[in-house]
């Protein structure tokens, strides 16, 4: 635009000079009228030129004003957008608290007052202040990269919350807390239902099983096969009920006893149990690559490990090999593993294997006398020890079930010879 204006001005000057020259020449050689015409044309162009120059000057003088107006408009639009976002977050049913690197509250919404008890007076104060003495406050002091799944709301203990923290920008983080009371109540109803049904079934099943045991097949030879089947099924039902009760108990526990679990004797006990179950059909060995022990519940760890060993025996055909392993990891943790070269499991089942009653093949499980709850129990026991279950398997080649234990659960070998609690021998 600017270059067009400059060219126009140069053009006007050239035309003015040309018109003046033309006017002089016309006055000398043609006529006075011609000279007058030329001069007027030149004047008109000069006038045009001045208009341009003044217009450009005015435009230059107005530019800061217009930029200021545009900036003000932009600012007002941004302010409106900010207010809209704040109003939207403010109206959320989830509690939202913005806090800085020092943990000081910057902003919060109405739900944060209702659920967390954050008030206007807490702005600029540590977030720990309104949450002091609550489980949420205790969670805030720990590793908050892991979300809190089910905690009482600090401002109303009858409500349950799920909370997480998300850092954003360079300085700020946001605490999000969702009211999950309804979900939590439903979960409790489910847990109570399973526990109550299992409990109610236990007594009649014990009675039925007792009477079946009293009946001697020799007395009624024609019913011998039926009696045998009835005994087997009632035993299976009793086992399912016991496993369901174990799971219910584990679900309601927040922690298990902290005992010193002597691993070397436990590995030997597990090997003896496997040999007894295998009845000589498998080669069973122990590979202990470390002498370290574990901190946890002797009873529950024994039961979880023994579940894996019994699965290896049940799902490995005769002549197969089973290795019970114990080794340390580079990060100071340790792994208990059971490896077999049995049937194996295809990849699509692995992620769901530890779900209740999930079976790769129900006939395979039934034949082997399984309840479908074993791995679920293992997973719960490991969770309560901050451990995890890792399954590697290939159909036709075998499986390895590993219990990965955190370094905080590993105890150094008992060098002073003090007796550590051993698991009950078989
Ligand atoms: P179950 O009582 O049926 O054995 P589990 O929860 O212990 O129940 O195991 C779930 C399923 O995982 C089993 O039904 C079986 O199909 C599979 N499984 C468990 N361990 C092994 C193994 N060592 N080899 C092959 N399949 C296994």
């Amino acid at each position: 635009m600017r270059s067009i204006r400059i060219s126009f001005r140069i053009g006007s000057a050239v035309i003015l000079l040309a018109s003046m020259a033309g006017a002089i020449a016309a006055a000398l050689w043609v006529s006075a009228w011609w000279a007058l015409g030329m001069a007027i044309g030149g004047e008109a162009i000069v006038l045009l030129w001045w208009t341009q120059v003044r217009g450009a000057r005015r435009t230059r003088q107005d530019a800061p004003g217009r930029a200021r107006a545009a900036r003000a408009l932009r600012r007002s639009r941004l302010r409106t957008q900010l207010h809209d976002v704040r109003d939207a977050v403010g109206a959320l049913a989830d509690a939202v608290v913005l806090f800085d690197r020092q943990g000081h509250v910057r902003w919060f919404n109405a739900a944060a007052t209702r659920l967390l008890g954050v008030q206007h007076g807490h702005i600029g104060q540590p977030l720990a202040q309104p949450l002091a003495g609550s489980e949420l406050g205790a969670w805030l002091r720990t590793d908050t990269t892991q979300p809190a799944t089910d905690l009482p709301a600090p401002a109303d203990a009858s409500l349950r919350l799920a909370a997480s923290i998300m850092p954003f920008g360079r300085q700020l983080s946001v605490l999000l807390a969702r009211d999950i009371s309804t979900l939590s109540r439903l979960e409790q109803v489910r847990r109570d239902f399973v526990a109550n049904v299992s409990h109610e079934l236990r007594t009649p099943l014990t009675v039925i099983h007792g009477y079946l045991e009293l009946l001697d097949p020799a007395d009624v030879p024609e019913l011998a096969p039926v009696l045998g089947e009835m005994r087997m099924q009632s035993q299976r039902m009793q086992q399912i009920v016991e496993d369901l009760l174990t799971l219910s108990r584990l679900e309601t526990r927040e922690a298990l006893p902290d005992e010193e679990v002597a691993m070397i004797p436990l590995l030997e006990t597990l090997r003896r149990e496997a040999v007894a179950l295998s009845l000589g059909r498998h080669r069973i060995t122990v590979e202990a690559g470390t002498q370290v022990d574990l901190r946890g519940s002797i009873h529950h760890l024994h039961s979880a490990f023994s579940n894996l060993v019994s699965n290896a025996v049940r799902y490995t055909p005769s002549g197969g090999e089973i290795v019970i392993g114990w080794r340390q990891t580079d990060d100071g943790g340790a792994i208990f593993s059971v490896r077999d070269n049995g049937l194996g499991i295809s990849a699509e089942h692995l992620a769901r294997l530890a779900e209740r009653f999930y079976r790769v093949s129900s006939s395979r499980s039934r034949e082997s006398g399984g309840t479908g709850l074993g791995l679920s129990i293992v997973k719960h026991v490991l969770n309560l020890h901050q451990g995890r279950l890792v399954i590697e398997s290939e159909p036709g080649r075998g499986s390895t079930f590993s219990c990965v234990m955190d370094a905080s659960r590993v105890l150094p070998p008992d060098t002073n010879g003090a007796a550590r609690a051993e698991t009950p021998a078989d």
Side-chain angles (χ1 to χ4, degrees):
M1 189 63 200
R2 190 179 151 80
S3 62
I4 293 171
R5 223 164 20 234
I6 290 168
S7 326
F8 185 79
R9 279 181 210 157
I10 294 168
S12 307
V14 169
I15 290 168
L16 181 66
L17 285 172
S19 80
M20 303 255 281
I24 292 164
L28 287 176
W29 292 298
V30 187
S31 74
W33 287 111
W34 267 83
L36 190 65
M38 287 251 175
I40 288 171
E43 283 299 308
I45 288 165
V46 168
L47 248 165
L48 201 66
W49 182 65
W50 268 112
T51 317
Q52 274 296 311
V53 169
R54 289 194 58 187
R57 199 173 296 149
R58 204 173 297 135
T59 311
R60 261 205 308 279
Q61 280 165 356
D62 284 356
R66 273 215 303 279
R68 251 199 316 277
R71 268 203 305 275
L73 187 69
R74 259 203 313 275
R75 227 177 284 137
S76 135
R77 270 199 206 128
L78 272 174
R79 214 174 293 132
T80 313
Q81 279 173 358
L82 191 68
H83 280 295
D84 287 350
V85 172
R86 281 205 168 187
D87 288 351
V89 180
L92 282 180
D94 296 348
V96 180
V97 183
L98 236 72
F99 60 95
D100 59 24
R101 205 192 281 176
Q102 283 75 40
H104 292 171
V105 178
R106 286 273 192 95
W107 185 85
F108 61 93
N109 66 356
T113 305
R114 188 170 50 85
L115 299 173
L116 311 177
V118 185
Q119 308 280 351
H120 279 288
H122 293 123
I123 297 268
Q125 300 297 316
L127 174 59
Q129 228 174 58
L131 306 182
S134 68
E135 284 184 41
L136 197 75
W139 169 74
L140 263 187
R141 288 193 296 275
T142 63
D143 173 22
T144 49
T145 50
Q146 296 299 318
T149 45
D150 190 357
L151 299 176
D156 183 349
S158 68
L159 301 176
R160 307 292 299 182
L161 297 181
S164 59
I165 285 185
M166 279 171 296
F168 72 97
R170 258 186 261 150
Q171 303 280 339
L172 297 176
S173 296
V174 61
L175 164 67
L176 269 177
R178 167 162 292 183
D179 181 357
I180 52 153
S181 310
T182 314
L183 209 69
S184 180
R185 256 194 302 277
L186 284 174
E187 183 62 17
Q188 188 59 44
V189 169
R190 181 195 64 80
R191 272 202 294 264
D192 290 351
F193 174 76
V194 174
N196 291 338
V197 167
S198 312
H199 206 76
E200 292 302 320
L201 283 175
R202 198 189 211 175
T203 315
L205 270 174
T206 312
V207 173
I208 292 171
H209 194 71
Y211 281 128
L212 282 173
E213 286 295 316
L214 280 180
L215 286 172
D216 189 350
D219 294 342
V220 269
E222 66 279 18
L223 289 180
V226 180
L227 267 181
E229 180 67 16
M230 283 167 79
R231 272 185 192 170
M232 208 177 76
Q233 292 301 339
S234 82
Q235 211 159 21
R236 215 170 94 76
M237 277 163 76
Q238 264 187 321
Q239 192 54 53
I240 291 176
V241 167
E242 288 308 320
D243 281 359
L244 279 173
L245 283 170
T246 304
L247 262 177
S248 298
R249 278 194 289 266
L250 285 171
E251 274 183 335
T252 50
R253 300 287 288 259
E254 292 203 336
L256 292 173
D258 254 353
E259 298 158 325
E260 293 186 358
V261 185
M263 281 305 287
I264 299 300
L266 174 57
L267 294 174
E268 185 44 33
T269 304
L270 290 168
R271 193 193 64 79
R272 280 202 302 269
E273 285 173 357
V275 168
L277 196 66
S278 157
L279 297 169
R281 289 176 298 126
H282 308 94
R283 203 172 92 81
I284 300 163
T285 51
V286 170
E287 275 178 12
T290 178
Q291 298 283 315
V292 294
D293 290 329
L294 272 180
R295 189 170 56 80
S297 157
I298 298 169
H299 168 73
H300 290 95
L301 285 172
H302 180 187
S303 136
F305 295 162
S306 146
N307 238 309
L308 297 179
V309 172
S310 115
N311 275 357
V313 172
R314 289 188 295 120
Y315 298 112
T316 302
S318 294
E321 197 177 339
I322 293 162
V323 181
I324 303 167
W326 177 234
R327 65 188 161 86
Q328 248 194 306
T329 53
D330 294 341
D331 61 0
I335 297 179
F336 169 83
S337 62
V338 181
R339 191 175 76 231
D340 66 58
N341 60 358
L343 302 174
I345 307 151
S346 51
E348 74 263 24
H349 297 294
L350 294 183
R352 300 194 57 195
L353 219 53
E355 285 175 20
R356 281 156 208 242
F357 297 114
Y358 187 86
R359 285 147 169 163
V360 174
S361 143
S362 44
S363 60
R364 188 201 281 185
S365 169
R366 214 173 298 119
E367 279 161 23
S368 73
T371 61
L373 294 166
L375 292 180
S376 196
I377 292 175
V378 172
K379 203 175 101 177
H380 271 78
V381 169
L382 291 181
N383 279 350
L384 287 165
H385 287 89
Q386 295 76 48
R388 62 199 163 88
L389 179 66
V390 177
I391 309 168
E392 294 153 290
S393 190
E394 215 180 303
R397 296 187 74 99
S399 319
T400 303
F401 287 76
S402 305
C403 303
V404 184
M405 308 304 290
D406 193 69
S408 62
R409 286 279 167 186
V410 173
L411 295 172
D414 194 10
T415 44
N416 62 11
R420 274 192 181 150
E422 280 188 27
T423 52
D426 47 330

